[in-house]
Amino acid sequence: MSQETPILQLEDVHTSYVTEKSMLGKPVKKVSAVNGVSLTLEKGDMLGIVGESGCGKSTLARTVLRLVEPESGTMIYKGTDLTTLDREQMRKMRQKMQMVFQDPYASLNPRMTVREIIESPLRVFQIGTPKERQEKIDEIMELTGLKKEFQNRYPHEFSGGQRQRIVIARALILKPEFIVFDEPVSALDVSVRSQLLNLLDDLKKELQFTSMFISHDLSVVKYICNKAAVMYLGHVVELADKKELYENPRHPYTQALLSAIPLPQTGVKRTHQVLQGEIPSPLNPPAGCPFHTRCPYATVRCCQEMPKFEQIGENHWCACHHEYTKYAGQGI
Amino acid sequence: MQIDTAAAAAETKKEEKKRSFLRDVAERFVQHKLAVVSAVLLVIEVLLIIFLPMILKLDPITSDFMAFESAPGKGHILGTDDVGRDVFARLVYGGRVSLSVGFCSSIISLLIGVPLGLIAGYYRGAAEIIILRASEIFSAIPSMILILVVVSITGTSIVTLTCVMGVMGWTGFTKMIYGSVLSAREKEYVEAARAIGEKDRSILVRYILPNTVTPILISFTFHIASAILQESGLSFLGLGVQPPQASWGNILNGAQSISVLTYQPWRWIPAGILLLITVSAINFVGDGLRDALDVSYHR
């Protein structure tokens, strides 16, 4: 682990949505979407967050940028706890933290031209003279593979891939230190997807940002990230360096996910671990380990006791009773 | 094939420069024939109403003592009314009053209604409850009666009439804008705006308002039409614009007896037709605008 202070450190972050209000507007029922997540991002990391739909990964992404307010926990960004900032202070922080959204058809204002869209972060933070702004716009458009002539067009004139490039250009024009990508390629055609992933990879090298990459696609994460976390029902169940996670998955859920990735070769025999049942409703989460209802190794203990999220190897954390028992004797 | 693609490329390049949102809208509007005809009619009407008095020296107020209730003919192209005023001149000047009362009161309604709708929809909470309940109370009271009461207190000058009608008319705008803001604020581009650090006011003005312009514009046109009718209704009842000042409504006011209706059609048919044409033309233009501005066409 590097000695530098981490860029972002999440400690026990909880986020919930109110699903029912009383007559007076007080919350009666809540759904926990993010349930005690702790993560650390070092400079230059690209942390992939994978999980089924509804596991809280997008909520986590929004929580980190406080587009959704966390219920409890701390989020230390370079020494500042984001949860303690007021709206205006948080707004200023956004200069350094940007986000790329999932649906490029929905995340661009249809009444702004491409130029206005890409310029908007500069306008918001009053950066540069008109001439400098134009230079920055030209530069970032070139970097993201957009033609200069597109500037006066409207978003509806573009394809999904190009729109997503516009979204990326908008997020990158301030050269932010930290970016959240919320499933940036899942709304796109497969053919465009790889182009965009390559673009992101290049941009990461060029601009040196730290990022979180939300995805439900393990192969995408494997391609582009250097760390990966697996989420299940609002919990991070396993976190490791990419190589470690893909080669040596410890949590039964991770193992099941990995075994479900289709292989390009034929004739290779492998053991499929098919998960039984559906992901439980977050409205009514199971007691104990959230995964016990579908886990092939579940024991009585799993039904009663929530496993701790513990370090089980170098840069490898996992929340599973079985892992814990297995390694308890070895002093790790 | 090669040439084809080259030609197509050149074509798109040419297109690129000219293309804009307004141009698209204009193109689609032109396809709505009835709306185009209506728009042309309205423009002609407004121009005539503005410039005819300068050319023709019309006098809508002075009585011609030689001709009371005279039929259309020489000197009085559309005849005279019961006190000998020229009907044609009154139509022209009445048009000025009717159209401007309709237009100005709609502007007032718009200026009150739109900000309230924006606030209720964007900030929600207490503001939403107060504004919506207030608009429900306002729209539950029959506006005609309320206007009658207010006008009887304030008097019936054109300015007070316009203001009263304007103030009474805000609820429609508020509810409609409230609805469109509710849907617009859930759009991902609004969240994206917050993510890039836009301030609330800027989100409202730059992201939400432009995406509610379409419904605002459309209901504004319809509102003008109904305001013109409302003014005419009030004047017809004798509670709106008072003679000797002319308005289309109070020209019709003169036609409240069977004898006038039967024997002096020039005193009410021209005014009635003008009113009918104007109001339906505005409505058709509104229809055309709605189709032309519909975002779902050009996505």
Side-chain angles (χ1 to χ4, degrees):
Chain A
M1 208 182 268
S2 73
Q3 295 307 301
E4 277 180 85
T5 49
I7 296 281
L8 182 72
Q9 210 167 3
L10 306 187
E11 259 318 305
D12 197 28
V13 173
H14 290 259
T15 309
S16 56
Y17 292 113
V18 176
T19 53
E20 225 179 282
K21 279 184 183 171
S22 70
M23 290 265 289
L24 297 170
K26 278 190 177 172
V28 181
K29 254 190 194 168
K30 288 190 287 188
V31 177
S32 298
V34 174
N35 220 329
V37 167
S38 304
L39 291 172
T40 305
L41 272 90
E42 312 284 340
K43 188 167 170 38
D45 271 354
M46 193 172 214
L47 170 67
I49 293 180
V50 289
E52 282 168 274
S53 40
C55 72
K57 50 193 194 304
S58 280
T59 306
L60 178 64
R62 282 166 168 70
T63 307
V64 169
L65 295 176
R66 279 191 52 192
L67 295 174
V68 174
E69 293 295 328
E71 201 176 17
S72 64
T74 55
M75 306 191 291
I76 314 281
Y77 177 80
K78 289 181 121 185
T80 329
D81 186 354
L82 297 178
T83 56
T84 60
L85 299 182
D86 64 28
R87 272 176 83 91
E88 184 57 22
Q89 287 168 323
M90 187 61 212
R91 199 182 71 78
K92 296 221 168 89
M93 284 304 278
R94 298 192 192 283
Q95 201 167 343
K96 297 174 190 146
M97 315 171 76
Q98 291 281 327
M99 176 153 178
V100 171
F101 291 83
Q102 174 174 6
D103 182 0
Y105 290 94
S107 57
L108 296 171
N109 185 349
R111 295 288 153 90
M112 281 186 174
T113 61
V114 170
R115 188 180 184 287
E116 288 170 322
I117 289 168
I118 297 178
E119 188 190 14
S120 43
L122 299 174
R123 172 176 51 74
V124 168
F125 295 108
Q126 293 159 15
I127 295 165
T129 61
K131 205 181 149 215
E132 287 164 3
R133 285 188 189 180
Q134 189 58 53
E135 278 165 15
K136 284 194 178 185
I137 292 168
D138 291 344
E139 182 198 3
I140 202 74
M141 284 182 78
E142 197 185 326
L143 217 51
T144 48
L146 290 162
K147 287 189 194 147
K148 269 189 203 169
E149 302 89 83
F150 292 167
Q151 290 193 13
N152 293 319
R153 291 205 193 173
Y154 287 87
H156 69 85
E157 300 173 50
F158 292 94
S159 68
Q162 283 175 314
R163 282 173 178 232
Q164 198 61 301
R165 284 173 198 265
I166 298 170
V167 176
I168 292 169
R170 171 175 67 183
L172 290 179
I173 193 162
L174 293 173
K175 307 268 161 69
E177 296 164 322
F178 176 68
I179 303 175
V180 175
F181 296 96
D182 182 14
E183 307 217 27
V185 295
S186 48
L188 304 176
D189 291 345
V190 180
S191 54
V192 184
R193 212 174 270 186
S194 53
Q195 287 175 16
L196 235 87
L197 285 175
N198 286 333
L199 172 70
L200 286 182
D201 207 31
D202 293 344
L203 290 170
K204 183 177 69 172
K205 281 172 195 139
E206 169 103 21
L207 302 172
Q208 307 271 322
F209 50 77
T210 308
S211 58
M212 256 164 93
F213 190 98
I214 316 290
S215 178
H216 58 254
D217 190 337
L218 281 160
S219 45
V220 167
V221 168
K222 187 176 184 183
Y223 176 74
I224 199 165
C225 299
N226 68 326
K227 278 184 185 175
V230 179
M231 277 186 85
Y232 187 80
L233 223 59
H235 299 264
V236 170
V237 294
E238 186 162 8
L239 165 68
D241 283 347
K242 173 181 76 180
K243 204 161 175 268
E244 172 79 3
L245 189 92
Y246 280 82
E247 285 171 6
N248 189 15
R250 298 290 182 78
H251 197 281
Y253 181 59
T254 316
Q255 290 167 1
L257 283 183
L258 286 174
S259 80
I261 300 180
L263 292 177
Q265 310 99 305
T266 51
V268 179
K269 273 198 182 159
R270 53 184 208 158
T271 46
H272 249 311
Q273 230 180 308
V274 181
L275 284 180
Q276 300 298 316
E278 291 284 312
I279 187 164
S281 161
L283 278 166
N284 187 18
C289 173
F291 189 56
H292 84 251
T293 53
R294 299 166 81 190
C295 182
Y297 314 115
T299 57
V300 178
R301 187 178 173 208
C302 299
C303 307
Q304 293 162 344
E305 195 185 325
M306 173 85 183
K308 289 195 182 82
F309 189 58
E310 281 172 321
Q311 187 156 16
I312 54 167
E314 198 193 343
N315 288 342
H316 199 155
W317 286 261
C318 184
C320 180
H321 289 309
H322 304 291
E323 279 304 333
Y324 179 69
T325 19
K326 207 183 291 174
Y327 288 90
Q330 298 174 16
I332 296 175
Chain B
M1 196 64 209
Q2 200 83 59
I3 302 159
D4 258 16
T5 37
E11 191 76 10
T12 37
K13 214 170 187 189
K14 243 200 284 172
E15 199 87 312
E16 222 161 73
K17 264 190 189 162
K18 297 185 291 180
R19 211 152 170 206
S20 76
F21 178 67
L22 280 178
R23 205 190 138 80
D24 287 357
V25 169
E27 270 172 17
R28 278 193 300 271
F29 185 78
V30 170
Q31 286 166 12
H32 199 301
K33 294 287 180 297
L34 205 50
V36 176
V37 172
S38 301
V40 170
L41 267 181
L42 282 175
V43 169
I44 292 173
E45 186 183 296
V46 169
L47 289 178
L48 283 182
I49 282 171
I50 294 174
F51 293 111
L52 260 191
M54 298 175 189
I55 305 164
L56 285 181
K57 291 233 170 201
L58 298 168
D59 184 349
I61 289 170
T62 319
S63 299
D64 179 350
F65 295 108
M66 309 306 288
F68 291 104
E69 303 183 343
S70 75
K74 224 180 165 199
H76 300 290
I77 211 171
L78 287 175
T80 57
D81 65 6
D82 53 348
V83 287
R85 295 176 295 213
D86 185 68
V87 171
F88 182 70
R90 289 184 71 72
L91 276 180
V92 174
Y93 278 90
R96 288 182 162 189
V97 171
S98 286
L99 292 189
S100 54
V101 168
F103 185 78
C104 294
S105 71
S106 298
I107 292 266
I108 294 174
S109 302
L110 183 86
L111 290 180
I112 300 173
V114 169
L116 287 177
L118 280 176
I119 291 168
Y122 187 71
Y123 292 100
R124 315 289 304 272
E128 178 188 15
I129 294 170
I130 293 169
I131 292 171
L132 286 188
R133 290 303 93 80
S135 85
E136 276 158 22
I137 291 168
F138 256 79
S139 43
I141 303 169
S143 63
M144 205 66 162
I145 293 174
L146 201 59
I147 291 172
L148 289 186
V149 173
V150 177
V151 163
S152 67
I153 298 166
T154 59
T156 54
S157 82
I158 291 180
V159 176
T160 54
L161 187 69
T162 307
C163 292
V164 172
M165 278 170 53
V167 171
M168 294 297 162
W170 64 279
T171 58
F173 285 108
T174 300
K175 281 184 201 154
M176 199 196 50
I177 298 308
Y178 168 76
S180 8
V181 172
L182 275 195
S183 76
R185 79 195 290 275
E186 299 304 324
K187 295 270 165 60
E188 209 170 37
Y189 58 79
V190 172
E191 192 177 31
R194 273 201 292 147
I196 59 172
E198 293 273 18
K199 290 178 183 168
D200 275 346
R201 193 155 27 92
S202 171
I203 292 177
L204 264 179
V205 175
R206 286 173 196 274
Y207 293 79
I208 293 180
L209 192 59
N211 289 290
T212 55
V213 160
T214 308
I216 292 177
L217 200 61
I218 295 159
S219 71
F220 180 63
T221 49
F222 292 130
H223 200 272
I224 293 177
S226 68
I228 290 173
L229 276 184
Q230 194 172 34
E231 182 274 330
S232 302
L234 282 171
S235 301
F236 178 75
L237 294 174
L239 290 149
V241 178
Q242 297 297 315
Q245 185 122 39
S247 93
W248 290 344
N250 73 15
I251 293 173
L252 293 172
N253 173 264
Q256 281 181 352
S257 74
I258 290 292
S259 69
V260 172
L261 284 173
T262 346
Y263 301 113
Q264 301 173 5
W266 65 86
R267 285 179 59 188
W268 58 274
I269 287 184
I273 288 178
L274 260 184
L275 198 57
L276 180 77
I277 289 177
T278 308
V279 171
S280 15
I282 293 176
N283 280 325
F284 286 133
V285 170
D287 275 345
L289 277 179
R290 184 176 50 206
D291 293 349
L293 288 166
D294 193 340
V295 191
S296 62
Y297 276 132
H298 61 106
R299 177 151 152 175

